[in-house]
Amino acid sequence: MKKKLLFLLLAVVALTLVACSKTNSTSSSSGVASSSDKKITIMAAHVVSTETTQHKAFMEFKRLVEERSDGNIEVDIYPDGQLGGEREMIESTQAGNIQMSSPSVGVLANFSSALQIFDFPFIFKDSKTAHEVVDGEFGQELLKGLEQSGLVGLNYGELGYRHLSNNKGEIVTPKDINGLKIRTMEVPMHIAYWKEVGANPTPLAFTEVFTGLSQGVVDGVENVLGLIHSGKFHEVSKYITTTGHIYDPEIYIMNKDFFNSLSKENQAIIQSSINDTVTYLRELNSSIDAELRVKLEEEGAIFRDLTDEEYNAWIEASVPFYEKNADKVDKEKLIQLLEATGNDKFLDAIK
């Protein structure tokens, strides 16, 4: 009897060990083992230099994600166009060759046409209005449209307000840019706008702008002060007019399949970290233009600020552009955007 009991006990122990072995094997092979068993790496790329607030924001995102995941998620950042221009980075993010990037909304509109409404000039009167719109239901709904292109729109960053610089002389009115070769992004609405007001728009990748200005391929460039300074464009294009013609959001995007493959916990870590990063970036940008202006002037840039009357001349010159191009984008969304910003001048032109 004792031998039988001993045999039964040994059999139970053996079965228990086998079961535990199968459980561990299944857990390991299914990838749901403890977080320490599998480290996640996010390759994140952007086109601007390490001096910019955009890069500092990426470094903040890296810090937050790695801290909140206890090091289980690692973020590798590739700045300064190391992995290509904005279009190439979007395509790489789509393909999953990299996991994350932050293109200008103008270039990203080639992958989600609804975003083209941000390419219209003089929409936002100030950054506060812009933030309210993109943070609200309307702005968040636009992000969802990126999913059709295999992307997840995490949140809106910002490049800020775009201004006009050139190497020919002071620009005050739209008539002053007649025939001027202006570098633009590869954005149809930007190109159409500069044609409308009389310039000769020339699309160039961001990484080619300095050379283009130096060699006379273009006479000027429109961009935010941060990128004019970091790209050293003012060294070959010193006359800067603070037109503020476009508020340029950029969108933090991630490969959809990669994001969906993450656990809910890791998705929440990434989303909360990017939300806090956006707040950090906006705080950095809140005073940066004034600081950059001082630096640019010290380095030889010559600024021209527009009076209210001069600024309104640019608004008037932009009305025909709205009339001709509103039907080429999602007009209802453009109307919603103009209504959200209280922009009656252009609303009346397209209704």
Side-chain angles (χ1 to χ4, degrees):
M1 179 64 71
K2 289 182 179 179
K3 288 182 179 180
K4 287 182 178 181
L5 289 173
L6 179 59
F7 177 78
L8 287 171
L9 180 61
L10 290 172
V12 170
V13 170
L15 288 170
T16 302
L17 290 172
V18 170
C20 288
S21 175
K22 287 183 177 180
T23 300
N24 290 337
S25 175
T26 301
S27 175
S28 176
S29 64
S30 65
V32 293
S34 65
S35 60
S36 61
D37 288 345
K38 184 179 179 182
K39 194 163 188 174
I40 298 166
T41 300
I42 296 174
M43 290 177 63
H46 62 78
V47 297
V48 298
S49 79
T50 55
E51 300 173 16
T52 60
T53 57
Q54 288 77 23
H55 180 73
K56 291 176 183 177
F58 261 109
M59 293 301 293
E60 176 69 0
F61 174 73
K62 172 182 172 70
R63 183 188 71 80
L64 292 172
V65 167
E66 293 180 354
E67 180 181 282
R68 292 173 181 179
S69 68
D70 294 326
N72 186 45
I73 305 176
E74 185 178 87
V75 180
D76 294 336
I77 302 170
Y78 298 84
D80 216 7
Q82 291 178 23
L83 302 185
E86 288 194 312
R87 190 180 187 98
E88 289 82 6
M89 286 193 302
I90 297 168
E91 291 170 347
S92 292
T93 307
Q94 273 186 310
N97 298 326
I98 62 176
Q99 287 70 52
M100 184 179 178
S101 54
S102 62
S104 166
V105 71
V107 181
L108 193 55
N110 292 302
F111 298 81
S112 180
S113 59
L115 295 173
Q116 285 183 304
I117 59 176
F118 288 117
D119 296 334
F120 281 65
F122 300 104
I123 288 178
F124 299 102
K125 61 183 179 181
D126 52 42
S127 296
K128 181 177 181 293
T129 303
H131 296 163
E132 289 173 351
V133 171
V134 299
D135 291 345
E137 184 178 346
F138 177 75
Q140 297 305 302
E141 187 65 30
L142 288 175
L143 291 182
K144 294 178 183 178
L146 289 164
E147 294 183 12
Q148 297 176 3
S149 296
L151 302 167
V152 173
L154 296 171
N155 207 334
Y156 293 87
E158 64 177 2
L159 288 169
Y161 279 91
R162 302 180 79 89
H163 303 292
L164 181 62
S165 75
N166 84 102
N167 53 26
K168 297 297 184 182
E170 183 180 83
I171 289 175
V172 179
T173 72
K175 292 180 181 178
D176 296 332
I177 63 169
N178 188 43
L180 198 73
K181 293 179 290 185
I182 296 177
R183 177 268 173 178
T184 69
M185 294 189 291
E186 299 172 79
V187 176
M189 286 297 117
H190 286 202
I191 295 168
Y193 172 68
W194 289 109
K195 282 183 179 178
E196 180 63 38
V197 292
N200 180 12
T202 306
L204 284 178
F206 181 79
T207 51
E208 300 172 5
V209 175
F210 185 88
T211 301
L213 287 165
S214 301
Q215 296 179 350
V217 176
V218 290
D219 304 317
V221 59
E222 51 84 47
N223 218 318
V224 298
L225 293 185
L227 297 189
I228 289 173
H229 183 261
S230 67
K232 303 186 186 303
F233 302 156
H234 59 293
E235 295 181 2
V236 284
S237 181
K238 68 179 181 179
Y239 298 98
I240 301 175
T241 304
T242 53
T243 50
H245 50 276
I246 283 182
Y247 172 80
D248 196 357
E250 59 180 7
I251 296 179
Y252 292 103
I253 57 173
M254 185 165 280
N255 177 271
K256 182 180 176 181
D257 290 339
F258 172 78
F259 186 78
N260 289 342
S261 73
L262 300 174
S263 67
K264 295 295 183 184
E265 178 185 3
N266 285 337
Q267 288 180 359
I269 287 172
I270 288 170
Q271 189 65 65
S272 66
S273 297
I274 206 67
N275 292 347
D276 290 343
T277 294
V278 168
T279 300
Y280 170 80
L281 175 61
R282 290 174 180 175
E283 289 173 354
L284 280 180
N285 285 344
S286 62
S287 60
I288 195 69
D289 273 8
E291 296 171 11
L292 284 168
R293 178 165 181 153
V294 171
K295 289 181 181 179
L296 285 162
E297 287 178 327
E298 289 175 347
E299 295 169 16
I302 299 171
F303 277 82
R304 177 58 158 86
D305 298 317
L306 300 176
T307 65
D308 289 343
E309 183 179 353
E310 291 164 347
Y311 182 80
N312 286 333
W314 286 87
I315 299 292
E316 291 294 338
S318 302
V319 170
F321 171 78
Y322 274 82
E323 293 172 339
K324 293 176 184 178
N325 291 280
D327 289 326
K328 296 179 182 178
V329 300
D330 189 326
K331 187 174 180 179
E332 287 306 311
K333 282 191 168 56
L334 178 59
I335 289 172
Q336 290 175 42
L337 178 59
L338 293 171
E339 287 175 340
T341 60
N343 203 319
D344 295 334
K345 182 75 173 179
F346 297 135
L347 265 175
D348 293 339
I350 66 174
K351 276 189 171 180

